[in-house]
Amino acid sequence: MELEYTPVTAVPGVGEKRAEDLDKLGIRTVADLLGYFPYRYEDFRVVDVSEAVHDEKVTLKGTLYGSPSVRWYGKKKSRLAARMETGGVHVNVVWFNQAFLKKRLKSGETILVSGRWDAHRLQLTADRTWIGSGVNKHVGRLEPVYSVTGSIQVSWLRKTIHRAFVEFGREIREVLPAELLSAYKLPDRAKAMFFLHFPKGREEGKRARRRMAYEELFLYELKLLWHRRQAKKADRGMARRFDREKLEAFIRKLPFPLTDAQRRVTEEILADLEDESRMNRLLQGDVGSGKTVVAAIVLYANRLSGHQGALMVPTEILAEQHLRSLRDLLAPVDMNMVLLTGGMTAKEKREVLSQIQMGLADVVVGTHALFQEDVVYRKLGLVVTDEQHRFGVRQRSTLREKGEKADVLHMTATPIPRTLAITAYGDMDVSVIDEMPAGRQPVETHWVKREVWPRVVEFIGKACRNGRQAYVICPLIEESEKSDLQNAESVFAEIAETLAPIRVGLLHGRMTSAEKDGVMRSYTEGEIQVLVSTTVVEVGVNVPNATVMVIYDADRFGLAQLHQLRGRVGRGGGQSTCILVADPRSETGIERMRVMTETTDGFEIARRDLELRGPGDFFGVKQSGIPEFKVADLIEDFKILEVARADAARILGDPEWETNPEYEGLRAYLDSFEKDRPRFD
Ligand code: ADP
Ligand code: MG
């Protein structure tokens, strides 16, 4: 009998009605029930009365003496009191509305009580009580607490799960190969599952949890890697050859030496180009870590292999900006680069399209227009996207289809811890630039209260009079409140008036994209010195002359967003400043301000953000692709995740993967995704 296919009604005491209620908890089969783990434990470990903390929950063990007394308040309410000796101390034990216990409270009986401790009166208000023979069984016990709904009660569920183990426990089958169990000294599956529900002590519970977390992450990674291997087999790319000499000569001619991290990720990408399977890689690097030059190098390699390349970005401004950077970087080599955006005139567009079709364009830079039907590539070999998170999963796959066999590289500045990136973007390989170019001056960050706002405006004015530019970001305000437009407009009006004749521009969500682009362009060209904006200033916008970033009501932004915003300054030579104006009301808000002033490291910020928000929120629930684990915690267990992933990769790569009986359980596990699971509804 396989527990995965055994309906939960097979457990004694579970009838149709109960099964319906269990269904609401996602429990349909015996396996579901056995794997419905507690979210915490009630702790009945006995403490010495001298260690009991006033007004906290404690469990005491002692001996009753004297005779108990009951006082009644009306028909139903009562207060039962007894005397107990514990560790040489005489204490009162009080029960409310449990008068029925009175006859069991005999002088000389051993008693175990758990409840709130009042150190002043030496009094325990009991909520759980065991007397006589029940005591020893419960001493030190950790009692599982489950999340329940409807008519299901925790105590019933606890009993039912226990019963299910008695009936079916020996049918729980091991999935992990013995080599892993012994390498990490993990308890076997049946034991771990049982002890996760009913641990005898902390240590045992921890070992059980560790085993189940490992199993969960290992199986997840195994499935992920296996799927990717299948996909790779089906998705043939091109094995490219290119002139390494020429490429190295170009790298030597760059205006700066590559950082070690840039070097490493470049090699990873080049290896993908040379490999016959199709590249689908995520290149992660904090704001300013230098992803553009990596893109330039691999676009050149792609050209040397005789192919066209495309660079896709979310906005026209970014397209123009990238084209400029690429032209600068690639100036020493002969590359024809063209721009293709939705905003071009029909004539311009026709000209560019024919260049692309004839293969005269080596690199095309643009927005979504790059993959419209009228664009016909001659020999597309590489597609690079920047700020990948701005493109949805669907756009990502259209792009892959359009590009036929082209290799795809997604670049993003969203700082996600590596293991999480691997998990969230399971369909991609991940390269990380985890190092900043030398000599970069970190942005000085200050957190100020709203009352000093006039001084902040003054500071902006001073920077502008010194020829610099500034951003002022206002948050989007929820609809129930006044509109964000008003908010930004009043800030805009105030700054424009106070700082005149300094030129101030306004950018908000209700402008058309042409209007927005117009304002951004004036700012890029320095016609506008201060930009007040509600919409997040485009990720990736590069105005090196801007050295001041003011974020109004900064506590309304998430950490990741604050970090992105701050990344808009500190891009030129000058010392840059970020001013967070906020009177945060919540602990989280205060913590965010603290994190921002303490570090400029995007990965560190991401880590702290994760702690504050949890992974689901961090990625945005819908897009996240992050699975919900039952036992594993992606933050706490990320070391286990790393290990589990390496183990999964190694085992899949084992030449005996298909034949070794050790891996039977794993093969069966993967197979189970091929066929549909029977349902009981
Ligand atoms: P991002 O990763 O945010 O896209 P960019 O590619 O725009 O970063 O690079 C940021 C700045 O750093 C650019 O001005 C670029 O010229 C410079 N840069 C990139 N790599 C290096 C390096 N190895 N040494 C010095 N400066 C570099
Ligand atoms: Mg960039």
Side-chain angles (χ1 to χ4, degrees):
M1 187 168 9
E2 285 192 63
L3 301 178
E4 283 79 11
Y5 302 106
T6 310
V8 73
T9 45
V11 179
V14 182
E16 288 303 326
K17 175 76 191 71
R18 291 294 194 186
E20 255 171 50
D21 289 341
L22 287 172
D23 189 274
K24 291 188 193 108
L25 298 174
I27 301 171
R28 287 169 201 107
T29 65
V30 174
D32 292 338
L33 184 67
L34 297 175
Y36 193 77
F37 297 119
Y39 67 93
R40 68 178 184 89
Y41 302 90
E42 197 80 72
D43 189 345
F44 294 117
R45 278 174 304 172
V46 177
V47 300
D48 193 272
V49 66
S50 62
E51 283 162 27
V53 180
H54 176 66
D55 214 26
E56 281 188 10
K57 239 193 102 149
V58 292
T59 302
L60 298 176
K61 184 180 163 186
T63 310
L64 291 164
Y65 68 91
S67 39
S69 62
V70 186
R71 224 186 298 155
W72 285 94
Y73 309 88
K75 278 232 164 75
K76 290 211 174 125
K77 293 190 174 155
S78 67
R79 181 183 186 275
L80 172 65
R83 300 284 291 166
M84 171 177 94
E85 186 273 327
T86 173
V89 181
H90 296 265
V91 305
N92 280 326
V93 186
V94 174
W95 292 263
F96 286 99
N97 311 325
Q98 296 181 63
F100 58 87
L101 280 175
K102 181 169 182 258
K103 56 182 183 306
R104 297 181 57 202
L105 303 175
K106 298 202 185 81
S107 185
E109 279 277 28
T110 305
I111 180 170
L112 182 71
V113 271
S114 176
R116 196 158 291 277
W117 176 242
D118 183 334
H120 308 311
R121 295 186 187 157
L122 296 180
Q123 179 168 301
L124 184 80
T125 304
D127 51 41
R128 296 293 294 270
T129 313
W130 293 275
I131 302 161
S133 57
V135 167
N136 283 333
K137 205 175 104 200
H138 282 88
V139 165
R141 195 163 110 150
L142 294 166
E143 204 174 68
V145 182
Y146 301 93
S147 78
V148 289
T149 53
S151 67
I152 304 275
Q153 282 184 331
V154 175
S155 56
W156 179 85
L157 189 57
R158 195 183 291 138
K159 264 183 253 149
T160 306
I161 289 174
H162 199 273
R163 213 173 291 137
F165 270 99
V166 173
E167 281 304 305
F168 298 102
R170 78 194 74 79
E171 288 176 44
I172 294 174
R173 263 191 268 142
E174 185 53 79
V175 277
L176 296 178
E179 56 174 269
L180 294 178
L181 296 181
S182 72
Y184 305 124
K185 300 197 169 51
L186 300 173
D188 72 50
R189 188 159 203 263
K191 261 203 203 109
M193 287 180 71
F194 181 77
F195 289 140
L196 198 47
H197 287 281
F198 309 107
K200 285 206 211 83
R202 289 275 143 184
E203 273 315 303
E204 201 179 48
K206 262 191 208 157
R207 274 216 313 281
R209 203 200 81 84
R210 200 169 132 258
R211 138 88 213 208
M212 295 313 291
Y214 177 85
E215 174 189 313
E216 209 172 17
L217 295 170
F218 174 81
L219 292 179
Y220 177 76
E221 292 294 339
L222 186 79
K223 191 169 75 180
L224 209 83
L225 293 172
W226 183 76
H227 273 303
R228 210 172 55 192
R229 213 171 67 168
Q230 303 298 101
K232 263 195 176 161
K233 275 191 205 152
D235 201 3
R236 291 271 141 174
M238 300 168 272
R240 261 80 91 52
R241 296 288 159 262
F242 46 83
D243 188 336
R244 276 269 177 181
E245 288 289 310
K246 279 190 179 165
L247 194 65
E248 287 303 327
F250 165 65
I251 293 173
R252 276 194 301 273
K253 269 183 256 159
L254 287 170
F256 40 73
L258 294 180
T259 62
D260 289 345
Q262 283 170 323
R263 193 77 237 191
R264 191 189 65 239
V265 302
T266 304
E267 284 309 320
E268 287 168 1
I269 298 163
L270 294 178
D272 280 354
L273 298 194
E274 287 170 333
D275 188 276
E276 136 183 74
S277 63
R278 187 177 179 190
M279 172 167 76
N280 190 26
R281 187 174 283 277
L282 181 73
L283 173 60
Q284 255 198 323
D286 205 348
V287 178
S289 63
K291 294 182 290 293
T292 315
V293 65
V294 174
I297 296 168
V298 298
L299 282 166
Y300 181 48
N302 175 59
R303 156 80 167 65
L304 288 175
S305 80
H307 290 85
Q308 278 179 318
L311 173 62
M312 179 158 97
V313 297
T315 65
E316 300 199 357
I317 291 283
L318 278 180
E320 285 171 21
Q321 187 183 294
H322 266 99
L323 183 71
R324 235 177 290 131
S325 323
L326 287 181
R327 278 191 175 142
D328 284 349
L329 287 167
L330 291 162
V333 295
D334 170 36
M335 293 265 275
N336 180 29
M337 282 174 277
V338 297
L339 186 71
L340 181 65
T341 63
M344 291 165 75
T345 65
K347 183 162 170 282
E348 284 169 332
K349 200 167 172 193
R350 229 177 298 127
E351 167 62 25
V352 169
L353 286 178
S354 75
Q355 281 195 37
I356 296 171
Q357 186 157 15
M358 290 188 290
L360 298 174
D362 296 316
V363 174
V364 191
V365 181
T367 53
H368 299 115
L370 286 188
F371 288 94
Q372 243 101 69
E373 275 155 36
D374 53 352
V375 191
V376 182
Y377 291 90
R378 170 104 181 166
K379 224 181 161 192
L380 187 63
L382 175 64
V383 179
V384 182
T385 74
D386 196 15
E387 303 309 345
Q388 157 304 316
H389 61 282
R390 298 285 300 269
F391 302 109
V393 174
R394 179 125 39 83
Q395 274 159 328
R396 245 152 62 191
S397 62
T398 333
L399 187 153
R400 279 174 67 77
E401 281 150 26
K402 252 280 185 186
E404 286 171 14
K405 292 188 164 190
D407 286 313
V408 181
L409 178 68
H410 298 287
M411 304 198 294
T412 179
T414 309
I416 308 170
R418 189 187 146 76
T419 42
L420 278 186
I422 289 167
T423 309
Y425 303 107
D427 56 333
M428 292 186 235
D429 292 300
V430 179
S431 292
V432 184
I433 307 183
D434 50 6
E435 180 187 0
M436 285 288 174
R440 190 66 58 79
Q441 257 178 316
V443 178
E444 227 177 76
T445 304
H446 304 280
W447 166 27
V448 303
K449 297 284 166 78
R450 268 198 223 142
E451 63 192 31
V452 303
W453 173 247
R455 276 173 47 206
V456 174
V457 177
E458 231 171 81
F459 182 84
I460 297 170
K462 204 169 137 214
C464 292
R465 283 188 286 275
N466 285 331
R468 296 302 192 169
Q469 286 167 279
Y471 296 94
V472 179
I473 308 297
C474 302
L476 287 161
I477 292 175
E478 285 147 39
E479 270 180 57
S480 55
E481 302 171 50
K482 59 181 185 187
S483 90
D484 57 290
L485 183 57
Q486 267 169 22
N487 184 49
E489 256 174 356
S490 62
V491 169
F492 164 74
E494 184 194 344
I495 294 179
E497 193 191 319
T498 317
L499 297 184
I502 288 169
R503 289 173 308 278
V504 185
L506 175 65
L507 195 71
H508 59 75
R510 287 182 215 171
M511 292 162 73
T512 65
S513 49
E515 285 170 331
K516 281 192 229 168
D517 278 357
V519 174
M520 275 315 296
R521 200 161 289 126
S522 314
Y523 187 66
T524 311
E525 282 158 16
E527 285 160 29
I528 293 172
Q529 286 151 288
V530 182
L531 181 67
V532 179
S533 172
T534 62
T535 44
V536 175
V537 173
E538 300 299 351
V539 224
V541 160
N542 191 19
V543 182
N545 191 44
T547 56
V548 179
M549 166 63 65
V550 174
I551 307 176
Y552 197 82
D553 284 340
D555 54 317
R556 290 188 176 234
F557 294 92
L559 273 176
Q561 226 177 353
L562 289 171
H563 178 66
Q564 281 294 332
L565 287 169
R566 178 167 61 184
R568 297 308 107 215
V569 296
R571 305 177 77 83
Q575 173 63 55
S576 293
T577 313
C578 173
I579 303 176
L580 309 168
V581 184
D583 298 342
R585 269 163 284 165
S586 68
E587 268 305 308
T588 316
I590 293 169
E591 186 57 22
R592 281 191 200 138
M593 297 306 104
R594 225 177 264 146
V595 173
M596 288 299 291
T597 52
E598 279 168 17
T599 179
T600 52
D601 176 346
F603 286 91
E604 173 64 14
I605 289 174
R607 202 182 58 72
R608 304 276 287 266
D609 202 13
L610 268 164
E611 280 173 10
L612 287 175
R613 295 203 280 165
D617 235 16
F618 181 76
F619 291 103
V621 180
K622 273 198 221 103
Q623 278 242 65
S624 81
I626 297 260
E628 290 266 339
F629 292 112
K630 281 202 295 192
V631 181
D633 175 328
L634 283 177
I635 299 161
E636 236 176 74
D637 299 327
F638 90 85
K639 287 226 172 69
I640 299 184
L641 178 59
E642 294 256 352
V643 171
R645 181 175 173 86
D647 290 335
R650 179 174 51 75
I651 286 174
L652 277 178
D654 188 331
E656 288 180 30
W657 159 246
E658 302 277 357
T659 50
N660 192 335
E662 270 279 280
Y663 304 144
E664 178 57 46
L666 300 178
R667 290 192 299 263
Y669 168 78
L670 292 176
D671 273 348
S672 70
F673 292 99
E674 302 291 271
K675 39 180 192 252
D676 254 350
R677 255 210 197 181
R679 303 228 145 228
F680 303 98
D681 43 26

